[in-house]
Amino acid sequence: MNAAKTYEKVAFFVLGLAMLLIVAPIIMTIAYIVKNGIGAISWEFITQAPRNGMKEGGIFPAIVGTILLIIGTMLFSLPLGILSAVYLVEYARDNLFTRLIKLSVVNLSGIPSIVYGMFGYTLFVLFLRLGTSILSGSLTLAIMSLPVIITAAKQALEAVPASFREISLSLGATKWQTVRYCVLPHAVPGILTGTVLSLSRAAGETAPILFTVAAFYLPRLPHSVFDQVMALPYHLYVISTQVPNMPMKLSFATGLVLVALVFLMNLVSAILRAHFRKKKQW
Amino acid sequence: MARKINEYIIESCIKLSGFLVIIFVFLIFLFLLKDSFSLFGVYPIGEFLFGRNWLPISEPPKFGIVPLLLGSVYVTVGAIIICVPMGIASAMFIAEVAPKSLKHVLKSLVELLASIPSIVLGFIGIVWLGPFLRNTLHLATGMCGLTGSLLLAFMALPTIISISEDALVAVPNTFKEAAYGLGATRWQTLWRIVLPSASSGIIAGVMLGIGRVIGETMVVMMVTGNSPVVPKSILQPLRTLTATIAGEMGETVSGSEHYFALFAVGLVLFIITFMINLIADISLRRARR
C-alpha cells in the first residue's frame, strides 16, 4: 500500500512538472513581448503612419486595416453562420443533405489557413475580379471563420430547452416565429461568445490575407472596400523578415499591439459569457 | 397569406445558407483539383509525387514534392513527440490533480496561449528561440526544423489539452468510485480507469492538434530556414508544404506551370488535413456515445 502511495506521489509530481513546463513558457512569452515592446508604445506609434521605409513612425494604417477586416469578416460570416446553424438544429432532417453540411463544417475547420489564402486569391481576387482588396480579404477570412461560428451557434441553439419550442408552437406560432422569438434570443450569448473568439483568431491570421488584401507598405487609409490595406499580422511579418536593420523595439511594439488586440477580444468574449450565464433562467 | 410567403422566403434563405457551406468546400476542392490537373497535363504526376528535387525556376523546372513532404513530416513528427505526452499529462493534471482554484487559472492560461497569433510566435522564434538553440546546441543555424517543431508543439498544446481535459472530465464518476471502493489509489484509478475510458476523446484532441501543426504556415516559413532540399536531420534548414505555397505564390505568374504546381501542393495538403480531421471527427463521435 505504501509503495502504491509513493508511486502516486511520483506520478502526480511528473504530471505537475509537465504542466509547469507548459505554463512557464506561456507566461515568459507574454512577459517577453510586453517587456520589449512597451517602451516603444506611444500615442505617436498608435496614431501615425509608418515613415522612412517603416523604420520610424507608427502603425496606424495597420491597426485600421485589421479592424476593417474584422468588421468585414463579421458582416459576411455572422449571418451565414447563424442561418446555417439554425438550419442544422431547427430544420434539418437526418438525410444526405444534412450529413453533407455537417461533413463540410468538419472539413472547413481543418483546412490549413494558407489553402484558404490560395482559394481566396483564385476565386475572389482573380475569378470574380475583386482584386487584392478589403472585400477579397474579408470574404476569405469569413469562410475560414464559418466553421467556428456554426459550431458555437449550433451548441447555443441546442442548449435551448425543447419545451420553449413546444409552447410557442402550441400557441399557433409558425416554425420561423418560434425560432425567431423563442429560440434565437436565448442563444444570442453563446453565439456572441463564439463569434468574438473566431474573429479574434481571424484578426491574428496572416496566411489567408497574404495574397488577398495585405499591402506591404501603404501609409494611407483606404478609400473603399476595393482598396488594399496594411494589417497588423502581415506588418509584423514584413518588418521582422523583409526589412533589414529594422529597429527591434518597433517590431516588439507591433507584436504587443496585436497580442493586446486579440487578448482584448478574448476578454470581451469571456465577460459576455460570464454576464449571460448569471442571467440564465433555466 | 403574406405570412406564409414570408415564412417561405426565410426558410429558403436558411436552407440556402446550409447549401452555401457545402458549396464552399466543393469550390475549394474544385479549384485545387482544376489547377492541379493543369499541372499534370504538362508535368507527369509520378515525377511530382516522387521527384526528389523542387527547383521551380530552373530550366527545365522540377516540381518534386518529396523534399517538401519530408520537411512537413520532420517538423510535424518532432512537434508530436513533444506536445502529445506533455499535452495529455497536463490535461490529466488539470482534470484530476489540481485543486479547483488552480484549475481555473491553468485553463485560462492555456486559453491565453491559444489566442496568441502564430505570427507573434514566429517572431519570437526569429529573435529568441532560434539564436538560443544555435548557441546551446552549437548548430550552423538556428533556423532549422527543431525550432519549428518546438514552436508548433507549443501552438498545438491548447487544442490537445482542452479536448483531452473535456474527455477526462466526462468519464462518469461511478467508474472512479468503483475503483476507489476496491482500494485503488487516485493515480491507479486515473491511469487504469479514467485514461482508457477517455481515450477516444484524447485521440480526437491529438488528431486535431496534429492537423493544426501540419497546416500552420507562418511560423514554419519564418523559422525553419526555407530550404527546399531533402532534409537529413531535424537540425537542418528545411521547408514544409505550407511554407512553399506562402513563399512562392506571390512570385508566380497566374496560369504558369509553377502556379499550377503550387496548387497541386495545396491539394496534397488539403487531402492530408481532410483525412486527419475525419479521424478526429470519428473519434469525437465515438467519445460522445
Side-chain angles (χ1 to χ4, degrees):
Chain A
M1 195 61 216
N2 236 340
K5 272 281 168 206
T6 320
Y7 202 63
E8 176 175 276
K9 267 189 191 144
V10 173
F12 282 1
F13 177 75
V14 172
L15 295 187
L17 199 66
M19 192 76 239
L20 187 71
L21 280 176
I22 292 168
V23 166
I26 299 175
I27 295 171
M28 273 158 57
T29 304
I30 295 166
Y32 185 63
I33 299 269
V34 173
K35 194 189 96 195
N36 288 293
I38 199 93
I41 301 267
S42 63
W43 185 243
E44 189 207 347
F45 184 71
I46 306 279
T47 58
Q48 288 194 4
R51 287 191 312 268
N52 187 17
M54 295 183 264
K55 285 176 197 143
E56 286 171 35
I59 51 168
F60 185 60
I63 296 177
V64 172
T66 288
I67 291 173
L68 287 174
L69 285 175
I70 294 174
I71 296 171
T73 305
M74 186 177 72
L75 287 180
F76 292 118
S77 63
L78 193 55
L80 199 58
I82 293 179
L83 287 182
S84 308
V86 166
Y87 178 76
L88 283 177
V89 178
E90 308 291 337
Y91 289 89
R93 289 182 202 93
D94 192 17
N95 54 23
L96 185 68
F97 183 59
T98 308
R99 254 174 291 163
L100 265 180
I101 298 178
K102 284 184 181 159
L103 187 68
S104 301
V105 174
V106 171
N107 191 359
L108 275 180
S109 69
I111 293 176
S113 52
I114 187 67
V115 173
Y116 279 110
M118 294 178 99
F119 171 68
Y121 179 66
T122 41
L123 178 63
F124 301 125
V125 177
L126 298 179
F127 189 73
L128 297 177
R129 293 172 194 277
L130 300 175
T132 33
S133 61
I134 299 176
L135 198 57
S136 299
S138 303
L139 283 165
T140 309
L141 287 171
I143 297 181
M144 194 193 78
S145 311
L146 259 186
V148 184
I149 295 183
I150 292 178
T151 311
K154 227 179 107 202
Q155 282 171 353
L157 290 167
E158 277 164 355
V160 178
S163 54
F164 284 35
R165 299 179 181 85
E166 286 155 14
I167 291 169
S168 167
L169 289 171
S170 71
L171 290 171
T174 62
K175 180 96 190 172
W176 168 246
Q177 284 172 332
T178 303
V179 172
R180 169 70 188 76
Y181 296 103
C182 293
V183 182
L184 266 181
H186 298 284
V188 164
I191 295 174
L192 271 183
T193 312
T195 304
V196 177
L197 267 185
S198 80
L199 289 178
S200 84
R201 197 173 303 165
E205 275 288 356
T206 317
I209 60 173
L210 273 179
F211 324 113
T212 53
V213 51
F216 190 84
Y217 178 51
L218 191 70
R220 61 177 175 82
L221 298 182
H223 298 296
S224 81
V225 290
F226 296 105
D227 277 356
Q228 280 190 304
V229 280
M230 294 176 84
L232 281 173
Y234 184 61
H235 184 64
L236 179 57
Y237 170 69
V238 166
I239 59 179
S240 58
T241 59
Q242 317 275 319
V243 181
N245 304 321
M246 183 72 201
M248 264 320 200
K249 61 173 193 177
L250 287 189
S251 306
F252 273 109
T254 307
L256 178 57
V257 171
L258 179 59
V259 169
L261 177 78
V262 171
F263 281 5
L264 192 72
M265 293 176 76
N266 277 267
L267 193 67
V268 169
S269 163
I271 290 172
L272 280 174
R273 189 170 48 192
H275 175 73
F276 283 112
R277 193 177 284 164
K278 240 185 264 164
K279 274 176 56 184
K280 208 165 184 175
Q281 293 142 0
W282 69 87
Chain B
M1 194 59 206
R3 207 204 245 181
K4 268 229 165 110
I5 295 172
N6 209 357
E7 185 96 0
Y8 177 77
I9 293 173
I10 297 228
E11 281 190 15
S12 306
C13 282
I14 290 173
K15 227 177 190 170
L16 184 70
S17 323
F19 188 58
L20 271 177
V21 176
I22 304 178
I23 289 290
F24 287 142
V25 175
F26 181 72
L27 273 181
I28 293 175
F29 188 60
L30 191 76
F31 271 92
L32 290 174
L33 207 61
K34 189 190 105 211
D35 286 344
S36 303
F37 275 105
S38 303
L39 175 75
F40 301 142
V42 288
Y43 194 84
I45 187 167
E47 274 180 49
F48 172 74
L49 286 177
F50 304 110
R52 296 177 63 85
N53 293 300
W54 179 266
L55 301 164
I57 44 174
S58 72
E59 203 48 60
K62 283 188 177 154
F63 302 111
I65 200 178
V66 171
L68 314 176
L69 204 57
L70 279 179
S72 281
V73 168
Y74 271 56
V75 174
T76 305
V77 170
I80 291 170
I81 291 173
I82 302 162
C83 71
V84 169
M86 297 268 289
I88 296 176
S90 15
M92 285 160 74
F93 185 81
I94 295 177
E96 295 287 336
V97 185
K100 209 163 192 172
S101 53
L102 187 62
K103 216 179 263 199
H104 279 292
V105 178
L106 292 174
K107 282 173 96 167
S108 317
L109 273 172
V110 171
E111 269 178 44
L112 209 60
L113 171 60
S115 67
I116 298 178
S118 61
I119 193 86
V120 174
L121 293 177
F123 173 64
I124 287 181
I126 290 181
V127 296
W128 181 75
L129 186 62
F132 172 78
L133 287 177
R134 190 189 57 212
N135 293 335
T136 17
L137 302 176
H138 305 292
L139 303 172
T141 168
M143 299 295 119
C144 64
L146 182 65
T147 316
S149 291
L150 279 168
L151 286 170
L152 289 178
F154 200 42
M155 288 182 64
L157 277 171
T159 312
I160 298 179
I161 294 177
S162 64
I163 296 177
S164 304
E165 200 249 345
D166 283 348
L168 288 168
V169 171
V171 174
N173 268 328
T174 47
F175 284 29
K176 282 191 266 177
E177 281 153 15
Y180 294 149
L182 292 170
T185 63
R186 276 169 71 205
W187 166 248
Q188 286 167 336
T189 311
L190 175 57
W191 183 246
R192 301 216 191 122
I193 308 292
V194 179
L195 198 63
S197 314
S199 59
S200 294
I202 292 175
I203 290 171
V206 168
M207 292 314 282
L208 288 175
I210 294 174
R212 197 157 173 214
V213 168
I214 294 180
E216 173 49 41
T217 310
M218 299 318 287
V219 165
V220 285
M221 181 151 124
M222 291 163 91
V223 306
T224 57
N226 262 324
S227 152
V229 291
V230 175
K232 288 196 189 68
S233 99
I234 198 167
L235 297 175
Q236 283 183 347
L238 45 81
R239 194 159 80 185
T240 64
L241 296 166
T242 50
T244 305
I245 300 172
E248 293 180 1
M249 186 89 166
E251 297 156 15
T252 60
V253 183
S254 84
S256 67
E257 226 173 289
H258 186 190
Y259 176 86
F260 292 140
L262 291 179
F263 275 83
V265 174
L267 183 66
V268 171
L269 206 52
F270 181 91
I271 293 170
I272 295 173
T273 48
F274 179 64
M275 300 298 232
I276 289 174
N277 276 276
L278 208 60
I279 298 173
D281 192 52
I282 292 168
S283 321
L284 261 187
R285 223 166 279 177
R286 193 174 297 156
R288 271 193 209 125
R289 221 176 280 148

